[in-house]
PDB file of all heavy atoms in Angstrom:
ATOM      1  N   ASN C  15     -95.363 -63.343  41.796  1.00 94.00           N
ATOM      2  CA  ASN C  15     -95.155 -62.488  42.968  1.00 94.00           C
ATOM      3  C   ASN C  15     -93.705 -62.538  43.432  1.00 94.00           C
ATOM      4  O   ASN C  15     -93.165 -63.629  43.693  1.00 94.00           O
ATOM      5  CB  ASN C  15     -96.085 -62.924  44.109  1.00 94.00           C
ATOM      6  CG  ASN C  15     -97.545 -62.689  43.770  1.00 94.00           C
ATOM      7  OD1 ASN C  15     -98.043 -61.576  43.883  1.00 94.00           O
ATOM      8  ND2 ASN C  15     -98.236 -63.738  43.336  1.00 94.00           N
ATOM      9  N   TYR C  16     -93.106 -61.330  43.595  1.00 96.00           N
ATOM     10  CA  TYR C  16     -91.674 -61.237  43.869  1.00 96.00           C
ATOM     11  C   TYR C  16     -91.376 -60.138  44.878  1.00 96.00           C
ATOM     12  O   TYR C  16     -92.075 -59.125  44.952  1.00 96.00           O
ATOM     13  CB  TYR C  16     -90.907 -60.927  42.576  1.00 96.00           C
ATOM     14  CG  TYR C  16     -91.043 -61.994  41.514  1.00 96.00           C
ATOM     15  CD1 TYR C  16     -92.180 -62.066  40.719  1.00 96.00           C
ATOM     16  CD2 TYR C  16     -90.040 -62.934  41.319  1.00 96.00           C
ATOM     17  CE1 TYR C  16     -92.312 -63.046  39.750  1.00 96.00           C
ATOM     18  CE2 TYR C  16     -90.169 -63.911  40.349  1.00 96.00           C
ATOM     19  CZ  TYR C  16     -91.305 -63.961  39.576  1.00 96.00           C
ATOM     20  OH  TYR C  16     -91.437 -64.932  38.622  1.00 96.00           O
ATOM     21  N   THR C  17     -90.308 -60.361  45.646  1.00 97.00           N
ATOM     22  CA  THR C  17     -89.750 -59.334  46.520  1.00 97.00           C
ATOM     23  C   THR C  17     -88.306 -59.077  46.109  1.00 97.00           C
ATOM     24  O   THR C  17     -87.532 -60.025  45.900  1.00 97.00           O
ATOM     25  CB  THR C  17     -89.805 -59.766  48.000  1.00 97.00           C
ATOM     26  OG1 THR C  17     -91.171 -59.865  48.405  1.00 97.00           O
ATOM     27  CG2 THR C  17     -89.097 -58.748  48.884  1.00 97.00           C
ATOM     28  N   VAL C  18     -87.968 -57.817  45.973  1.00 97.00           N
ATOM     29  CA  VAL C  18     -86.614 -57.413  45.600  1.00 97.00           C
ATOM     30  C   VAL C  18     -85.886 -56.930  46.850  1.00 97.00           C
ATOM     31  O   VAL C  18     -86.453 -56.191  47.669  1.00 97.00           O
ATOM     32  CB  VAL C  18     -86.655 -56.279  44.548  1.00 97.00           C
ATOM     33  CG1 VAL C  18     -85.243 -55.885  44.137  1.00 97.00           C
ATOM     34  CG2 VAL C  18     -87.465 -56.713  43.332  1.00 97.00           C
ATOM     35  N   THR C  19     -84.658 -57.358  47.025  1.00 97.00           N
ATOM     36  CA  THR C  19     -83.830 -56.883  48.136  1.00 97.00           C
ATOM     37  C   THR C  19     -82.522 -56.341  47.582  1.00 97.00           C
ATOM     38  O   THR C  19     -82.100 -56.707  46.481  1.00 97.00           O
ATOM     39  CB  THR C  19     -83.538 -58.007  49.149  1.00 97.00           C
ATOM     40  OG1 THR C  19     -82.818 -59.058  48.491  1.00 97.00           O
ATOM     41  CG2 THR C  19     -84.828 -58.571  49.729  1.00 97.00           C
ATOM     42  N   TRP C  20     -81.875 -55.464  48.354  1.00 96.00           N
ATOM     43  CA  TRP C  20     -80.605 -54.900  47.900  1.00 96.00           C
ATOM     44  C   TRP C  20     -79.692 -54.641  49.085  1.00 96.00           C
ATOM     45  O   TRP C  20     -80.126 -54.586  50.249  1.00 96.00           O
ATOM     46  CB  TRP C  20     -80.828 -53.610  47.114  1.00 96.00           C
ATOM     47  CG  TRP C  20     -81.659 -52.566  47.825  1.00 96.00           C
ATOM     48  CD1 TRP C  20     -81.219 -51.592  48.676  1.00 96.00           C
ATOM     49  CD2 TRP C  20     -83.076 -52.409  47.744  1.00 96.00           C
ATOM     50  NE1 TRP C  20     -82.264 -50.832  49.134  1.00 96.00           N
ATOM     51  CE2 TRP C  20     -83.426 -51.313  48.563  1.00 96.00           C
ATOM     52  CE3 TRP C  20     -84.098 -53.077  47.066  1.00 96.00           C
ATOM     53  CZ2 TRP C  20     -84.739 -50.880  48.724  1.00 96.00           C
ATOM     54  CZ3 TRP C  20     -85.408 -52.641  47.219  1.00 96.00           C
ATOM     55  CH2 TRP C  20     -85.715 -51.564  48.029  1.00 96.00           C
ATOM     56  N   SER C  21     -78.410 -54.520  48.791  1.00 93.00           N
ATOM     57  CA  SER C  21     -77.406 -54.323  49.833  1.00 93.00           C
ATOM     58  C   SER C  21     -77.538 -52.944  50.460  1.00 93.00           C
ATOM     59  O   SER C  21     -77.921 -51.972  49.811  1.00 93.00           O
ATOM     60  CB  SER C  21     -76.003 -54.490  49.223  1.00 93.00           C
ATOM     61  OG  SER C  21     -75.848 -53.613  48.105  1.00 93.00           O
ATOM     62  N   LYS C  22     -77.206 -52.864  51.742  1.00 86.00           N
ATOM     63  CA  LYS C  22     -77.269 -51.589  52.446  1.00 86.00           C
ATOM     64  C   LYS C  22     -76.036 -50.748  52.124  1.00 86.00           C
ATOM     65  O   LYS C  22     -74.942 -51.266  51.937  1.00 86.00           O
ATOM     66  CB  LYS C  22     -77.372 -51.825  53.950  1.00 86.00           C
ATOM     67  CG  LYS C  22     -78.710 -52.410  54.376  1.00 86.00           C
ATOM     68  CD  LYS C  22     -78.814 -52.491  55.897  1.00 86.00           C
ATOM     69  CE  LYS C  22     -80.179 -52.996  56.320  1.00 86.00           C
ATOM     70  NZ  LYS C  22     -80.320 -53.065  57.792  1.00 86.00           N
ATOM     71  N   LEU C  23     -76.240 -49.456  52.091  1.00 87.00           N
ATOM     72  CA  LEU C  23     -75.144 -48.531  51.808  1.00 87.00           C
ATOM     73  C   LEU C  23     -74.461 -48.089  53.096  1.00 87.00           C
ATOM     74  O   LEU C  23     -75.099 -47.964  54.152  1.00 87.00           O
ATOM     75  CB  LEU C  23     -75.679 -47.289  51.083  1.00 87.00           C
ATOM     76  CG  LEU C  23     -76.178 -47.474  49.643  1.00 87.00           C
ATOM     77  CD1 LEU C  23     -76.827 -46.178  49.181  1.00 87.00           C
ATOM     78  CD2 LEU C  23     -75.025 -47.844  48.722  1.00 87.00           C
ATOM     79  N   THR C  24     -73.153 -47.881  52.992  1.00 82.00           N
ATOM     80  CA  THR C  24     -72.447 -47.296  54.134  1.00 82.00           C
ATOM     81  C   THR C  24     -72.737 -45.798  54.219  1.00 82.00           C
ATOM     82  O   THR C  24     -72.726 -45.206  55.290  1.00 82.00           O
ATOM     83  CB  THR C  24     -70.928 -47.521  53.982  1.00 82.00           C
ATOM     84  OG1 THR C  24     -70.493 -47.005  52.719  1.00 82.00           O
ATOM     85  CG2 THR C  24     -70.604 -49.004  54.053  1.00 82.00           C
ATOM     86  N   GLU C  25     -73.021 -45.227  53.073  1.00 84.00           N
ATOM     87  CA  GLU C  25     -73.374 -43.809  53.010  1.00 84.00           C
ATOM     88  C   GLU C  25     -74.891 -43.660  53.109  1.00 84.00           C
ATOM     89  O   GLU C  25     -75.649 -44.445  52.521  1.00 84.00           O
ATOM     90  CB  GLU C  25     -72.878 -43.226  51.681  1.00 84.00           C
ATOM     91  CG  GLU C  25     -73.220 -41.769  51.470  1.00 84.00           C
ATOM     92  CD  GLU C  25     -72.772 -41.257  50.115  1.00 84.00           C
ATOM     93  OE1 GLU C  25     -72.124 -42.032  49.371  1.00 84.00           O
ATOM     94  OE2 GLU C  25     -73.057 -40.099  49.794  1.00 84.00           O
ATOM     95  N   SER C  26     -75.356 -42.695  53.871  1.00 85.00           N
ATOM     96  CA  SER C  26     -76.793 -42.497  54.043  1.00 85.00           C
ATOM     97  C   SER C  26     -77.409 -41.934  52.766  1.00 85.00           C
ATOM     98  O   SER C  26     -76.752 -41.245  51.976  1.00 85.00           O
ATOM     99  CB  SER C  26     -77.068 -41.542  55.207  1.00 85.00           C
ATOM    100  OG  SER C  26     -76.527 -40.268  54.930  1.00 85.00           O
TER     101      SER C  26
END
Side-chain angles (χ1 to χ4, degrees):
N15 294 280
Y16 298 79
T17 294
V18 181
T19 61
W20 53 88
S21 55
K22 290 186 177 181
L23 291 173
T24 55
E25 178 183 356
S26 63

